[in-house]
Amino acid sequence: MTAPGLYTLTNGIEVNGAALILIPEILEAIGEKAGMDYYILPASIHELLIARDDGLVTGGMLKRSVFEGNRTPEIVKPEHVLSDNVYHYSCKTKLLKII
């Protein structure tokens, strides 16, 4: 997970996988693999997207993308929208905050 880009996080059955955001050990493990702080984008109730905080994107850019995707039924079905928020995880403090 050192290359730029988005990574998908879900569970083994790919149903309600966004609930993984609630497990501190998973958030910490992602930070270790990424080697830096990262953003979490709720792609739907079923999956999250992870973007390394490597300076190539900003939280605002990501938040606009999530907002637009959530309003495009071909991207996210309305009943699968989780949130318009983007989250930032700090490896140092091990805290998740809303952007």
Side-chain angles (χ1 to χ4, degrees), residues 2 6-7 15 20 29 41 43 45 50 54 57 63 75 87 90:
T2 56
L6 294 175
Y7 298 87
V15 175
L20 295 173
L41 295 73
I45 60 173
I50 308 297
D54 55 11
V57 294
K63 191 167 183 170
I75 296 175
Y87 305 85
S90 168

Side-chain angles (χ1 to χ4, degrees), residues 13-75:
I13 59 173
E14 298 180 2
V15 175
N16 296 325
L20 295 173
I21 196 172
L22 302 173
I23 304 174
E25 296 82 9
I26 289 179
L27 299 177
E28 192 173 331
I30 294 168
E32 289 171 7
K33 286 185 183 261
M36 64 179 59
D37 297 351
Y38 60 90
Y39 295 100
I40 301 174
L41 295 73
S44 73
I45 60 173
H46 303 299
E47 67 183 17
L48 303 167
L49 298 176
I50 308 297
R52 296 171 72 233
D53 184 5
D54 55 11
L56 297 176
V57 294
T58 66
M61 291 167 59
L62 296 172
K63 191 167 183 170
R64 282 189 296 279
S65 294
V66 169
F67 183 85
E68 290 171 14
N70 284 344
R71 278 141 192 84
T72 308
E74 297 80 19
I75 296 175

